[in-house]
Amino acid sequence: MKILVTAKRVEDPESKIKVKPDGSDIVKEGLKYKINPFDEIGVEEGLRLAAAHGGEVVVVSIGPKEVQEQLRHALAMGAHKAVWVNHTGPLDQLGIAGLLQKVVELQKPDVVLLGKQSIDDDQNQVGQYLAEFLGWGQATFASKVESLESAEEKAKAPAVKLTADKKSVQVVREVDNGLATLEVQLPAIVTTDLRLNQPRYASLPGIMKAKSKPIEELTPEKLGVDVTPKIQVLKLASPPARKAGIKVPDVATLVEKLHNEAKVV
Amino acid sequence: MSIVLIVAEQQPDGNLRKASLNAIAAGKQLADKSGGELHLVLLSKDPSKLAEELKGSGAKVIHTAAAPEFEHYLAEVYAPVIAGLAQELKATFVGAASTAQGKDLLPRVAARLKAAMATDITAINGSGADITFTRPMWAGNVFAEVKLNTPVQVISIRATEFSAVAGAGASAEVKSFQPKLEASKTKFVSFNEVKSARPELTEASVVVSGGRGTKGDFKEVEALADLLGAAVGASRAVCDAGWVPNDLQVGQTGKVVAPKLYIAAGISGAIQHLAGMKSSKTIVAINKDPEAPIFQVADYGLVDDLFKVLPALREGIQKLK
């Protein structure tokens, strides 16, 4: 089984994001970068699928040379090889999906695992665009029924189940008001939700080994994809600040304030 | 003239998803600002009941298509039908509520239409051909104004930012069309509904949420919620731990709520969680840790043990009634 996983470089989710005074961008100084948490879950699921069914995990990232850090991180977790689409400058979801389509056509994976959204853009689009561009089935927001502390989690079995005939995967999806289960023919697109798995840490030998694993370099030109953004970000702004609140000393005061001041109870 | 096509969502139980009423309101606003008209599309095994319900929602036309294949929603089945209708109508905008279905479906529709898309829009700006959208990024820490430079533009709409349409407008024309169905590589297997007697989280006017501070014991959170007729929410940590169902999660990757009153009990207030509730009108935080970040957004904060506070709060509110 060949599995392609994505590894977008994003700001550390714990970092405080501030907008530049002119609204042109966020303040980048002092920010740390990481692999998008949902992509990391995708890498983990890919590794579990490869361990259960044999095969290899190829990780892809698009961006300037810094994204090689995220590729090395995925390689250190256990991915077998990496594809780097070298591109500086703005990109939108159409451009990303266009590039990934070409990478998929070159790599011919059975499953592509992507995060359901990246925590910077919060768009939640690329997996679905890619599925439509390729004419494949999609299962978005893949989750699992059991809690993360279940025995299954500890056994590290993949939550994305290969059917008996090995031609489809069964995926449990997090949707409004419950969980939906789909069966998608391979090759398929799966996007990961939070509760699919708990990504492993990269081990020291893993980190050492990652250094000698191959990274293939591509460019939008080589792939023949026009990545001129169609989504134009005109301006960024901070959300309106909330009026400073107060701390109340006891429940009686809280009830009084909620009743007479906020008039909500 | 621009045509705004909004997808009305049918829930698995056959009823209309309430967030669609907010999406239709946004669609009406977009039609007015861009100088066009509002159309709705409804795919169902039997769309007649919902079409009737939506007649007064301000749309010019409601396009309905009936097929047994529409019983269980599948992106692969729905997307070509909606994209096909958009092309036939020469729609300029295609949108839906930013629900799990909206987010799953719309990018696939957009891909087919070679359209750019904005997820979770919170405002529509400008007029005529210069329409732009406001949408959150970085877990709601940044709001971006974006312009979609494709002939067709696709948007998913954050329901909490647009008031639901009332439903007393002029009567829409209902037009049924013959859907062109494509073979699907995806099969519906099952749906496990999480049933609750309480109001739906995204629609409730009061939400009581519990975090790690509950240590998994939600009895007090639920008791207060029931007294207030509120929905129960939760932080990511408690969903991850399996203490409550995942669909109660409030946050960047869970549900976005904006009730009149949001009570956070034992929730520290991580960026991820704040992204889902920061627009609530009044926020109450109950936490033992005076340094918890939740106190920075709370209108009223009480530093104490939630197991002491919640029963007392219940008693105090009961006395008012």
Side-chain angles (χ1 to χ4, degrees):
Chain A
M1 200 175 197
K2 189 168 181 177
I3 302 130
L4 185 72
V5 298
T6 52
K8 186 178 180 181
R9 179 182 172 85
V10 297
E11 289 76 20
D12 185 322
E14 301 299 320
S15 40
K16 189 95 191 94
I17 303 291
K18 285 202 196 86
V19 178
K20 282 186 184 172
D22 67 358
S24 62
D25 201 352
I26 58 164
V27 179
K28 298 260 171 79
E29 284 76 39
L31 288 179
K32 279 195 219 130
Y33 288 83
K34 278 196 156 173
I35 178 170
N36 179 39
F38 292 99
D39 285 356
E40 197 175 17
I41 291 168
V43 175
E44 176 64 39
E45 195 64 16
L47 293 171
R48 292 185 189 193
L49 278 167
H53 306 291
E56 62 171 0
V57 175
V58 182
V59 56
V60 56
S61 192
I62 305 168
K65 64 177 189 308
E66 288 79 9
V67 306
Q68 291 186 49
E69 285 170 34
Q70 279 62 49
L71 291 173
R72 292 283 176 213
H73 178 87
L75 292 170
M77 284 173 73
H80 301 85
K81 56 188 194 187
V83 175
W84 167 37
V85 182
N86 184 352
H87 175 71
T88 43
L91 264 179
D92 65 7
Q93 285 64 34
L94 272 164
I96 296 167
L99 291 170
L100 289 178
Q101 181 189 0
K102 296 293 174 188
V103 172
V104 167
E105 285 164 6
L106 290 170
Q107 292 290 332
K108 302 186 174 58
D110 301 291
V111 177
V112 184
L113 284 157
L114 311 91
K116 78 163 176 178
Q117 76 194 69
S118 62
I119 54 126
D120 50 359
D121 285 338
D122 281 335
Q123 283 272 49
N124 196 331
Q125 294 176 7
V126 170
Q128 296 90 311
Y129 268 100
L130 181 60
E132 178 63 31
F133 284 170
L134 292 163
W136 294 8
Q138 74 186 42
T140 56
F141 326 145
S143 185
K144 67 159 79 168
V145 187
E146 301 85 355
S147 105
L148 287 183
E149 283 151 29
S150 66
E152 193 188 3
E153 169 61 30
K154 287 175 191 145
K156 303 271 184 214
V160 172
K161 305 265 186 240
L162 200 58
T163 53
D165 63 3
K166 296 193 189 319
K167 285 182 178 158
S168 308
V169 282
Q170 258 206 16
V171 181
V172 176
R173 308 177 53 233
E174 272 196 55
V175 297
D176 296 328
N177 304 60
L179 295 165
T181 305
L182 295 184
E183 204 168 287
V184 194
Q185 261 174 49
L186 297 179
I189 301 289
V190 177
T191 77
T192 63
D193 213 322
L194 278 175
R195 280 163 281 265
L196 190 64
N197 60 45
Q198 194 82 269
R200 69 193 67 184
Y201 290 107
S203 64
L204 191 58
I207 294 167
M208 298 312 288
K209 250 194 253 170
K211 291 184 176 153
S212 56
K213 287 180 181 171
I215 295 183
E216 182 189 352
E217 186 183 339
L218 294 166
T219 60
E221 295 73 36
K222 266 190 228 167
L223 292 169
V225 180
D226 175 11
V227 292
T228 316
K230 304 285 195 299
I231 303 176
Q232 193 187 347
V233 178
L234 302 172
K235 204 175 73 200
L236 300 181
S238 301
R242 285 187 76 90
K243 191 169 61 66
I246 55 162
K247 280 202 179 126
V248 294
D250 50 42
V251 173
T253 319
L254 178 59
V255 174
E256 190 273 318
K257 294 273 184 203
L258 289 177
H259 187 61
N260 296 320
E261 199 173 88
K263 301 188 195 309
V264 282
V265 294
Chain B
M1 191 189 55
S2 79
I3 302 255
V4 180
L5 182 64
I6 299 290
V7 185
E9 177 180 343
Q10 178 179 246
Q11 298 185 142
D13 65 7
N15 290 316
L16 181 75
R17 173 114 23 229
K18 293 258 173 57
S20 288
L21 293 174
N22 307 73
I24 293 167
K28 185 82 184 85
Q29 206 187 102
L30 182 53
D32 291 343
K33 287 187 174 178
S34 63
E37 59 188 36
L38 175 65
H39 290 219
L40 306 183
V41 55
L42 184 55
L43 308 185
S44 171
K45 204 170 77 171
D46 175 17
S48 54
K49 182 180 143 261
L50 292 194
E52 195 58 43
E53 251 176 72
L54 289 170
K55 257 190 174 168
S57 64
K60 183 101 179 21
V61 187
I62 303 171
H63 302 271
T64 63
E69 287 84 351
F70 295 150
E71 182 174 9
H72 302 293
Y73 159 79
L74 284 172
E76 240 181 298
V77 176
Y78 276 44
V81 176
I82 289 161
L85 175 68
Q87 277 167 328
E88 214 178 289
L89 294 171
K90 298 192 170 53
T92 25
F93 299 96
V94 180
S98 220
T99 56
Q101 178 177 313
K103 286 182 173 171
D104 181 59
L105 169 69
L106 289 173
R108 219 173 156 128
V109 174
R112 200 163 259 248
L113 296 169
K114 305 268 176 286
M117 173 172 169
T119 299
D120 239 0
I121 64 145
T122 56
I124 300 157
N125 322 297
S127 63
D130 292 318
I131 295 281
T132 64
F133 301 102
T134 304
R135 59 173 302 272
M137 293 171 77
W138 286 282
N141 285 298
V142 176
F143 280 79
E145 186 184 344
V146 298
K147 189 158 199 313
L148 303 177
N149 293 316
T150 46
V152 188
Q153 305 177 29
V154 177
I155 50 167
S156 72
I157 296 144
R158 182 173 279 196
T160 54
E161 300 294 328
F162 298 89
S163 329
V165 287
S171 192
E173 178 190 354
V174 179
K175 265 189 193 167
S176 68
F177 69 103
Q178 207 53 45
K180 276 193 214 82
L181 294 171
E182 292 179 13
S184 170
K185 295 177 175 115
T186 311
K187 222 168 60 191
F188 170 86
V189 177
S190 63
F191 176 64
N192 294 324
E193 193 183 354
V194 178
K195 285 209 170 74
S196 171
R198 300 191 183 90
E200 218 276 306
L201 192 50
T202 54
E203 293 161 13
S205 64
V206 181
V207 174
V208 185
S209 279
R212 220 192 289 264
T214 62
K215 299 185 179 70
D217 180 359
F218 260 58
K219 269 194 229 77
E220 284 302 332
V221 169
E222 287 170 356
L224 180 61
D226 289 341
L227 176 69
L228 294 168
V232 169
S235 69
R236 176 182 161 183
V238 313
C239 295
D240 278 357
W243 293 342
V244 298
N246 299 341
D247 67 330
L248 295 191
Q249 187 189 323
V250 172
Q252 178 189 22
T253 58
K255 291 190 172 148
V256 178
V257 301
K260 221 168 59 185
L261 174 61
Y262 188 90
I263 301 175
I267 293 178
S268 67
I271 293 170
Q272 202 284 135
H273 186 76
L274 299 183
M277 44 66 80
K278 249 192 324 200
S279 335
S280 306
K281 197 164 161 282
T282 300
I283 297 172
V284 174
I286 299 151
N287 205 300
K288 272 199 286 201
D289 174 11
E291 304 303 322
I294 191 80
F295 287 118
Q296 290 163 23
V297 301
D299 300 284
Y300 305 109
L302 182 50
V303 182
D304 207 343
D305 183 0
L306 70 98
F307 288 102
K308 266 180 19 206
V309 173
L310 294 185
L313 189 55
R314 205 152 29 102
E315 208 175 300
I317 292 168
Q318 215 142 23
K319 271 189 201 147
L320 293 173
K321 294 196 168 180

